[in-house]
Amino acid sequence: MKLFKISQTTNNQWDTYSDAIVAAETEEEARNIHPDEPIEPGKWDLSSWTLPENVTVEYIGEAKEGTIPGIILSSFHAG
């Protein structure tokens, strides 16, 4: 399991997520995680995030053994 920082800059209004730290096996899996999980892929609330193709993914490092895939920490900008 790996740790990734996912971020987006296409939706920068209030009540949106700017980035998150996620645990995933691959970069593609990380790209498809919504910071407000659990949300089915393809049914995302785009008012708070963006489409997977607009997500920037940065590898951070290896996760601790036993880490469950998904959101570790997210940044939400309430307004």
Side-chain angles (χ1 to χ4, degrees):
M1 186 71 53
K2 298 173 177 61
L3 296 175
F4 296 93
K5 177 184 178 188
I6 57 172
S7 59
Q8 61 90 20
T9 59
T10 59
N11 190 358
N12 297 318
Q13 305 301 316
W14 291 110
D15 297 331
T16 61
Y17 291 91
S18 59
D19 47 16
I21 303 301
V22 300
E25 291 293 339
T26 66
E27 181 178 318
E28 188 61 27
E29 186 181 316
R31 183 180 313 284
N32 284 284
I33 294 175
H34 189 291
D36 192 21
E37 276 193 310
I39 296 175
E40 291 181 49
K43 295 187 179 182
W44 290 3
D45 174 7
L46 295 178
S47 67
S48 67
W49 189 234
T50 191
L51 294 170
E53 56 264 25
N54 298 326
V55 175
T56 300
V57 180
E58 297 175 59
Y59 173 74
I60 296 174
E62 294 298 313
K64 180 180 173 184
E65 188 174 329
T67 299
I68 298 171
I71 298 297
I72 304 295
L73 177 71
S74 61
S75 181
F76 183 75
H77 305 275

